Structures are given as C-alpha cells and as structure tokens.
C-alpha cells in the first residue's frame, strides 16, 4: 500500500472501529467477532505507529485504560444544571399542570414525554466539532468537577460524533446532559466477585458508580461496569436545535448516544398519569434502578418560557415512586456461613413492607459494617430494597436509639460447628476454617450440584440438608457412594425417585472439566477462572500438581486466586476428597472426546507463548495443538518461557522474547518439535 492509501485506510479504520464499538457497547448488537474486531484494532495501531501525526483524540486507541489524574479541576457549566421538583401521585401531576397553565394557557393543550428517572449521577459532556473534549459532574449545578479522563473509559460514551458514518453532522459546540449508572445485574456480579475474594462488598449501584466516576485512578473507573444514558441537549451552537424533547432524543440517538428506551409520548395529563404509573410497574423488570419518571413538556420553547423556581424548571416534574426505603426495629443479628466459610451477618427485622414486599431479613454486609455504622440490636434501622437486590440495612437512626439498644460483637466461634473463627490478612471477612463444618458442607454441596456447576437435577437444598443431617454425605465425593438403600430410607423417597437421583449423580461425570473445577468451590475460582484452568491444564491430575509460579503466569489469574488454588490442593482433607472422586470415576478431562487421548506428549514440560497469525492454525487451534501434546500455553513472555511461537505480524511479545533470548519457532518449527514428519 502506498502512503496515501495507508493514511486514508487509517482514517477509515477509526470510523469503522467506532461503529463497531457502538454496536457492541451501546446497541448490544455486534456484527463481527471479537477476533475480527481485535484484528481491526491491531491494524489501526500498526498504522498509527507509522503515522503518529494522524492519531486523533477520538481514535479508539486513545480510549483511556488507566492512569492517575491530579485532583479534579473545577469547571463552570455553560448553563445552570438544574434539578427537578417532585410529585408523588396523580394529584400532584394534575396540580402541576394547573399551576403552569395559569402562567401560559397554551400549556393546557401541550403534549409531554414521560421518561424513566435514572438513579445515577448527572454528567455534562462537551463536544467541539464532534470531538469529546470535556466531561464534568453536576457539582452544585453551577460548578462541577472535571472527570474527562474517567469518562473516557466508558465504552458507551462516544469519543466523537456522529458515531455512524452516515450520521448527522455535529454542531460546532454541543453540550449534553446524561446519567452514569451501573446495571443491577452487573452490580450483583461485582459484589459476588468481591465476596468470593473475601473483600468488602459495595453498598448500592449509585454509590459505586459515584465512587468509580470520581476516582483518582482511571483504571478503577475502567474496571467498573459504568453505563451512560443521555437525555438533554444543554447547548448546541452552529446547527439547528430540535424543537421538542422527542426530537432531541432522536437527534442524540442519531449522533450515536445511548438514550433511555421506551420514552412515552403523552397527549394529555391523564395519559401522563397512566404512563407514570406504568413506569412504576415496569420498574422491577428494568436492568437498572429508576426512582421515578420524569415528565417534560415536549415543546422546548414552551417549557423554557415557563421559567425556573429555585433550581427547578417549571416545564418538567419528577414523579417519585413510593419509598423503597423504610424503617423498622432490628430484633437481632444472625450469622450465615458461606461455602468458603465466610461468616456474613444479617439483620433479623420486625417484618416490614418495602416496595410491596414483606421483608424479615436484610443483609448487614460484614462485621466491619456493623461497627462502622454503630448498629446495635433494638435500634430502629433504615432498610432499603432496590429492584431485585437483596434488602440491606443502611444504618441506625441515632435520634431514636432506645436505652435497651445492645452493642453487638462478632462471634468467636462458628455458629454452625462451634469451631474458632479466623481472619485472613488483608481481608475484612471472618472465616470458619473448619473443613468439616456442616454449614459449609451444605453450602458446598449446594454449589457443587447447582445448575451453573454440575447440574445434578433433583438434588435441592432440602435434600442436601437431609443428606448431611443423616450423615450420609460428609463431603462432595460421598454423593457418588450413595446407594439406593440409603435413599429410600429418606422421607418422601420411593424406588423411582431414588433411581432418578442416582442416575442424575452418575450423569454429572459427563460434565466438562471447567465446570468440575468451578464446582469444587475453591475461593476465587468462579466460572471464568474455572474455564481458564481447564484449558490450561486439561486434566485434574495436572491441575492438582500445579505451583504458585505457574498459576500466576496464566492470564486472568492474580496472586490471590493463585494462592487460594495452591492452598486448596495442599489441604489433606481436599486431597482425600479428590482421591475419592477419582476412585468413583468423577475425574473429567478436557479433550476426552477430541481424539487427543493417548497422543504422545513430546512437548511435556515446555511452555509456549503464541503471537501473530499462523497460516495453518487459528489461535485456539494452536493452543489445543500444544496442550494436547503436553505443552503449556501462557500469556506473557518471561525468562521461564521455553519457546515463542510466532506467525505473521507478531506483537510486542516478539521483541520481548528477543530481548530475553527466548528461542522463536515458526509453524513448521513447532510441528517439528512436536515430532511431526516434515
Ligand atoms: S431532566 C432540567 N431527565 O434526576 C432538566 N433528569 O431529580 C432536569 N434524572 O438531577 C433533568 N433521569 O440527574 C432528567 N430522564 C431524565 C432523568 C433525570 C434521571 C436525574 C437528574 C436530575 C435528577 C432530578
């Protein structure tokens, strides 16, 4: 390619990649595979390294992945970033309209939009000639904090507009307002991971989003699943401005912003009331938290003509849903034992209704939380329930603390087995470290048989408890020793049910190795890490013989998880369980059905890093090829790497290997080493 062609290809790539980013992160409808996407990015990076002058601030290569910023700069908003007056029922909405119709009688015949009121943080985004140049928090409405660098880590924030090649031309200067938040499911996943690692759980999606957005380290922001929805054009200079809110949303969408879905267009106030109530019902099924609906006069000029009271524009109103937060008495504090032995305190409450559901228990997160918030038994506490999230205690109401309130101290012994509890350095959690603890065993078994792990149908929590209580099962391996005679003794069991259960247990032996590893309940080893370990080791025998050094070399496995894996395999109790499992034939292999069994293992003991494209192999195929022949594939080159396998257009690993003097093989070299005839 000549220079002119390369330069125009570079510009084209920026546009193409931006479009794919948008499809993936905003529309959730990718049209190319991850590998094809990576290839486009690699091509762009290569051209940009050749023509650094052509790197534009909106290039996908400039998306910030990390780094520490100085203190946040204060920035003046181009216009006050207003708030909203609240209404709580149909009457409030009707009287809002009556009030403003007195100021401007035309309002009575106006149409409206009803949008979800997102429970996140307001952000104000500035674009000059289509390029994202500044982003700020709302602050006090006049002055906000500049968080441009952090905002750039949000995949749903367009670095330049329009995102689509055929999108409308951007105005010279555009300022938009939107909301940054975390989806409920992502929030729960985040906390599941924290719990697995024995680390502090986050309290609410909103706080977590706020903390991430205002973090001094953009890498932290980048690691949180923040999303952005945009709903207002604050300023638009040098191009036509939409006349209505509906058109604004449409234009914002055409520029490539993500805007709230299912906006309702209402022709009179009764339709508005209906739409607000409908949002209240839809609320629970939305992926994110909303705390109300926002009603706006659709015609922007008409809305603006009504002016402002305090910080609230008259042309819009927030319809707030009934409280998801209530207060009640904390009767007592109970303690749950999780499958990894983590002790989690929970509040036993005087039953109370929150958002239409009766709540009797709520989580207290961990013992530090009780102490930090000074929560005492018999305190009146605030309880919050958000969407599907488990209700949690926010804190005590100190003003009404009764004299009878009692300070709580964490138990010294496990409430289930009465063995002494322990802490792990650097973690807030308390653990029961007794491997024979019945509560842990029940949780462990529950996890072992659950749908996401070995999927043993018919083995629910009640039955698990029964099996443990009767002493029939003392560890997961005992499941494979259950006999028909044992089962029919149990309550509610007949011949057929017993046979079905035994068949289901037997069929768990067919599950993939990755699920088996996940099922073992090693701290920090979830579905993803389980799969990583399975592809790396291919067999339980190899995994069991692993070392700390080897584990940390695997992509996606940090030192904490690596240590947890090593510790788990080192425990005699676990070794005993593994021996029993193996004896019963519960010992899956990765390539059991790929015909790889019995292949000679000429690459045994060698470790490989792969870079570039190989003509005869896909990336996955070359990994399989090496692993099936006994070799290990690792992600990063180090002095311990045996060989670098390098194809066309290798990456930075090539230079690293050369620097360390690691021998480099091409495809033929690899095949030769593996003993293939040339
Ligand atoms: S419009 C003058 N629309 O609710 C325009 N606000 O209680 C005022 N919010 O600070 C904002 N979703 O952060 C608007 N669809 C939406 C919204 C929304 C959430 C937030 C916004 C504002 C707060 C007001």
């Amino acid at each position: 390619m000549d220079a002119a062609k390369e330069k125009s290809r570079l510009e084209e790539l920026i546009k193409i990649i931006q479009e794919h980013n948008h499809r993936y992160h905003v529309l959730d409808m990718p049209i190319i595979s991850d590998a094809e996407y990576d290839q486009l990015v690699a091509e762009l990076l290569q051209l940009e390294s050749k023509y650094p002058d052509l790197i534009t601030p909106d290039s996908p290569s400039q998306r910030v992945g990390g780094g520490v910023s100085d203190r946040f700069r204060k920035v003046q908003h181009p216009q006050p970033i207003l708030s909203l007056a609240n209404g709580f029922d149909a009457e409030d909405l009707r009287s809002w309209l009556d009030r403003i119709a007195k100021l401007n009688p035309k309002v009575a015949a106006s149409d409206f939009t009803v949008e979800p009121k997102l429970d996140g943080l307001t952000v104000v985004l500035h674009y000059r000639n289509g390029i994202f140049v500044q982003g700020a928090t709302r602050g006090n409405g006049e002055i906000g904090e500049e968080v441009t660098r952090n905002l750039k880590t949000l995949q749903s924030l367009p670095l330049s507009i329009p995102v689509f090649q055929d999108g409308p031309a951007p105005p010279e200067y555009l300022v938009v307002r939107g909301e940054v938040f975390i989806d409920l499911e992502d929030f729960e996943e985040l906390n599941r991971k924290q719990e697995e690692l024995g680390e502090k759980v986050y309290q609410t999606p909103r706080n977590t989003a706020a903390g991430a957005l205002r973090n001094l380290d953009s890498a932290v922001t980048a690691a949180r699943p923040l999303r952005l929805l945009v709903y207002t054009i604050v300023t638009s200079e040098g191009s036509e401005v939409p006349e209505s809110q509906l058109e604004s949303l449409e234009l914002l969408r055409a520029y490539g912003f993500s805007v709230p879905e299912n906006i309702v267009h209402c022709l009179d106030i009764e339709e508005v009331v209906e739409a607000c109530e409908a949002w209240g019902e839809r609320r629970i099924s939305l992926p994110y938290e909303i705390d109300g609906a926002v009603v706006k006069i659709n015609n922007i000029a008409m809305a603006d003509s009504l002016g402002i009271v305090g910080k609230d524009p008259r042309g819009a109103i927030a319809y707030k849903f009934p409280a998801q937060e209530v207060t009640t008495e904390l009767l007592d504090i109970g303690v749950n034992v999780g499958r990894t032995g983590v002790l989690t305190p929970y509040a036993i409450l005087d039953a109370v209704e929150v958002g239409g559901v009766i709540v009797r228990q709520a989580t207290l997160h961990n013992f530090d939380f009780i102490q930090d918030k000074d929560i005492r038994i018999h305190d009146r506490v605030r309880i919050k329930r958000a969407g599907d999230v488990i209700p949690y205690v926010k804190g005590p109401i100190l003003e009404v603390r009764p004299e009878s309130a009692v300070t709580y101290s964490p138990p010294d012994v496990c409430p289930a087995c009465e063995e002494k509890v322990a802490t792990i350095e650097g973690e807030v959690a308390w653990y029961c470290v007794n491997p024979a603890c019945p509560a842990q065993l029940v949780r462990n078994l529950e996890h072992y048989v659950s749908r996401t792990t070995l999927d043993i149908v018919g083995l629910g929590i009640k039955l698990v408890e029964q099996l443990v209580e009767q002493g029939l099962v003392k560890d997961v391996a005992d499941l494979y020793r259950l006999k028909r005679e044992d089962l029919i003794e149990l309550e509610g069991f007949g011949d057929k049910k017993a046979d079905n259960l035994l068949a289901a247990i037997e069929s768990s032996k067919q599950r993939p190795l990755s699920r088996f590893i996940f099922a073992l309940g090693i701290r920090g080893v979830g579905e993803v890490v389980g799969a990583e370990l399975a592809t790396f080791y291919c067999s339980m025998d190899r995994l069991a013989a692993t070392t700390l050094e080897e584990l940390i070399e695997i992509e996606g496995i940090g030192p904490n998880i690596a240590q947890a894996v090593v510790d788990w395999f080192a425990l005699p109790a676990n070794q005993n369980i593994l021996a029993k499992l193996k004896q019963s034939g519960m010992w899956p292999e990765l390539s059991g059905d790929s015909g790889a069994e019995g292949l000679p293992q000429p690459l045994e003991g060698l470790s490989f890093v792969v870079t570039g494209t190989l003509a005869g192999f896909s990336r996955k195929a070359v990994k399989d090829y090496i692993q099936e022949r006994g070799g290990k594939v690792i992600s990063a080159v180090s002095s311990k790497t045996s060989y670098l396998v390098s194809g066309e257009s290798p990456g930075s690993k090539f230079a690293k290997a050369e620097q360390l003097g690691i021998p480099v093989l091409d495809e033929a070299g690899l095949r030769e080493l593996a003993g293939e005839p040339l």
Side-chain angles (χ1 to χ4, degrees):
M1 235 194 273
D2 62 34
K5 274 206 186 124
E6 280 185 336
K7 287 180 182 176
S8 84
R9 173 67 179 157
L10 190 157
E11 279 161 14
E12 188 190 355
L13 278 168
I14 292 183
K15 289 285 167 207
I16 296 176
I17 295 170
Q18 274 169 349
E19 248 190 67
H20 288 306
N21 273 344
H22 182 76
R23 281 183 190 281
Y24 185 90
H25 293 287
V26 178
L27 304 180
D28 205 15
M29 277 187 301
I31 50 170
I32 55 170
S33 69
D34 290 2
E36 287 168 301
Y37 175 85
D38 290 344
Q39 207 156 9
L40 290 172
V41 174
E43 196 189 343
L44 173 68
L45 292 179
Q46 194 246 327
L47 286 173
E48 283 188 340
S49 69
K50 198 161 168 192
Y51 303 106
D53 287 347
L54 297 186
I55 301 178
T56 58
D58 67 314
S59 163
S61 66
Q62 301 303 298
R63 237 179 230 289
V64 192
V68 179
S69 47
D70 292 320
R71 240 184 293 114
F72 298 115
R73 200 163 62 88
K74 302 277 179 275
V75 288
Q76 173 96 35
H77 296 305
Q79 277 182 38
I81 296 302
L82 300 172
S83 187
L84 286 173
N86 291 329
F88 298 94
D89 53 28
E91 252 346 280
D92 289 347
L93 294 174
R94 293 186 192 112
S95 52
W96 164 68
L97 186 65
D98 290 345
R99 260 193 330 269
I100 54 178
K102 283 194 187 116
L103 297 172
N104 180 351
K106 280 194 201 147
V107 164
S110 150
D111 59 334
F112 309 86
T113 59
V114 179
E115 305 171 11
K117 185 171 180 314
L118 308 154
D119 194 12
L121 292 112
T122 296
V123 288
V124 182
L125 313 171
H126 298 235
Y127 289 80
R128 287 206 183 269
N129 296 315
I131 304 294
F132 175 59
V133 289
Q134 180 183 297
T137 61
R138 178 172 182 272
N140 61 10
E142 304 280 338
I143 291 168
E145 281 176 325
E146 203 237 49
V147 285
T148 314
R149 200 179 159 78
N150 287 353
L151 280 166
K152 278 191 178 179
T153 67
L154 269 68
Q155 294 286 359
S156 51
L157 182 146
L159 294 179
S160 77
I161 51 169
V163 166
F164 299 104
Q165 292 187 49
D166 56 358
E172 277 163 29
Y173 181 44
L174 174 74
V175 182
V176 300
R177 171 175 181 170
E179 205 82 357
V180 168
F181 59 93
I182 297 180
D183 274 350
L184 288 164
E185 217 171 85
D186 288 337
F187 179 71
E188 286 177 26
E189 175 63 26
L190 203 60
N191 270 348
R192 253 197 305 277
K193 280 192 199 141
Q194 291 293 103
E195 268 171 15
E196 269 190 12
L197 297 171
E199 278 168 23
K200 260 200 163 113
V201 291
Y202 299 103
Q203 288 190 33
T204 69
R206 191 174 187 284
N207 288 351
T208 313
L213 193 62
R214 300 184 60 248
N215 202 293
L216 288 176
D217 183 355
S218 300
V220 174
T221 322
R224 301 274 175 274
L226 298 178
R227 275 187 64 192
L228 165 75
L229 286 175
V230 166
Y231 49 73
T232 304
I233 297 179
V234 178
T235 303
S236 174
E237 286 171 11
S239 99
E240 262 184 56
V241 186
E243 283 177 8
S244 69
Q245 170 65 3
L246 273 184
E247 285 162 2
S248 300
L249 291 168
E250 224 165 86
L251 182 61
L252 286 167
R253 195 196 298 274
Y255 284 148
F257 291 103
S258 216
V259 302
E261 300 280 327
N262 306 318
I263 308 280
V264 192
H265 184 202
C266 299
L267 298 181
D268 61 40
I269 194 73
E270 291 316 311
E271 283 187 17
V272 167
V273 169
E274 219 174 278
C276 284
E277 285 166 358
W279 272 115
E281 277 158 32
R282 205 181 296 151
R283 171 187 203 183
I284 198 96
S285 59
L286 287 175
Y288 40 75
E289 265 195 77
I290 64 173
D291 56 349
V294 180
V295 182
K296 297 176 185 170
I297 290 188
N298 191 29
N299 183 302
I300 292 172
M302 188 186 290
D304 288 349
S305 76
L306 294 165
I308 297 168
V309 207
K311 286 189 170 178
D312 308 330
R314 287 199 182 86
I317 186 167
Y319 172 89
K320 296 286 279 277
F321 296 143
Q324 291 285 93
E325 196 178 310
V326 296
T327 69
T328 188
E329 188 190 334
L330 174 73
L331 300 176
D332 203 354
I333 292 178
V335 176
N336 262 324
V337 186
R339 84 181 142 85
T340 52
V342 179
L343 303 186
T344 319
Y346 62 92
I348 302 167
L349 304 168
D350 191 8
V352 61
E353 185 184 324
V354 198
V357 177
I358 304 288
V359 171
R360 292 192 171 78
Q361 289 187 358
T363 176
L364 283 161
H365 307 295
N366 54 52
F367 298 111
D368 279 12
F369 179 79
I370 301 176
Q371 201 178 5
D372 292 349
K373 296 270 173 182
D374 185 21
I375 297 169
R376 302 186 191 176
I377 296 166
H378 301 310
D379 263 344
R380 183 150 278 272
V381 287
R382 279 185 311 208
I383 308 296
K384 180 149 186 191
R385 191 178 148 259
D388 287 338
V389 177
I390 303 164
Y392 58 92
V393 175
K394 280 188 78 176
I397 306 171
L398 297 174
E399 293 78 2
V400 294
R401 170 165 284 167
E403 281 191 8
S404 59
V406 197
T407 328
Y408 172 81
S409 352
D412 300 330
V413 295
C414 167
C417 69
E418 303 191 340
E419 288 285 322
K420 250 189 129 27
V421 298
T423 49
I424 293 181
E425 214 185 292
E427 293 188 11
V428 297
W430 286 80
Y431 286 90
C432 167
V433 286
N434 170 16
C437 169
Q440 273 182 69
L441 177 57
V442 168
R443 295 277 112 76
N444 242 311
L445 282 162
E446 245 179 275
H447 172 69
Y448 188 84
V449 305
S450 74
R451 276 220 350 248
T452 50
T453 56
L454 295 176
D455 195 15
I456 303 184
V457 183
L459 198 43
I461 168 87
K462 286 259 147 51
L463 183 51
V464 165
E465 279 170 354
Q466 242 181 325
L467 292 171
V468 173
E469 252 166 50
Q470 301 290 319
L472 289 170
V473 171
K474 295 200 173 63
D475 57 46
V476 295
D478 284 344
L479 289 174
Y480 300 92
R481 300 180 167 194
L482 283 173
K483 297 201 188 57
R484 202 160 178 256
E485 308 86 87
D486 299 332
L487 293 173
I488 43 183
E489 293 287 304
L490 297 174
E491 211 185 293
F493 260 85
D495 287 351
K496 187 146 191 302
K497 196 167 166 190
D499 287 343
N500 286 346
L501 181 63
L502 290 175
I505 293 174
E506 188 61 25
S507 74
S508 69
K509 294 179 183 171
Q510 309 306 319
R511 303 280 178 266
L513 176 62
S514 55
R515 294 236 223 155
F516 178 59
I517 298 173
F518 175 28
L520 292 173
I522 305 169
R523 206 156 45 83
V525 180
E527 211 166 347
V528 177
V529 175
E532 289 286 346
L533 292 173
T535 10
F536 192 82
Y537 291 99
C538 302
S539 82
M540 277 307 291
D541 287 319
R542 286 202 202 127
L543 174 61
T546 184
T547 61
L548 193 64
E549 293 73 37
E550 194 169 73
L551 282 163
I552 25 197
E553 294 224 15
I554 305 176
E555 205 165 75
I557 298 186
N560 290 346
I561 298 180
Q563 189 64 53
V565 173
V566 172
D567 291 350
W568 194 92
F569 281 102
L571 265 186
N574 291 333
Q575 288 171 355
N576 179 36
I577 294 172
L578 290 173
K580 278 162 72 181
L581 284 166
K582 189 172 183 180
Q583 205 181 27
S584 348
M586 181 56 191
W587 208 243
E589 291 266 329
L590 181 65
S591 340
D593 54 0
S594 72
E597 246 170 339
L599 270 185
Q601 305 280 294
L603 307 183
E604 179 118 39
L606 301 176
S607 65
F608 297 79
V609 173
V610 183
T611 183
T613 332
L614 300 167
F617 282 123
S618 73
R619 195 41 84 80
K620 162 108 178 54
V622 70
K623 248 180 151 179
D624 290 348
Y625 181 91
I626 294 171
Q627 286 170 344
E628 282 162 7
R629 285 157 184 80
K632 292 195 162 53
V633 180
I634 51 187
S635 59
V637 178
S638 78
S639 57
K640 280 174 274 160
T641 311
S642 317
Y643 292 96
L644 178 78
V645 179
S646 175
E648 284 268 319
S649 41
S652 60
K653 290 170 186 167
F654 191 85
K656 182 89 193 277
E658 273 201 324
Q659 199 189 349
L660 296 173
I662 308 292
V664 179
L665 295 175
D666 60 5
E667 193 177 321
L670 173 66
R671 289 186 190 277
E672 194 183 343
L673 187 71
E676 271 192 54
L678 286 183

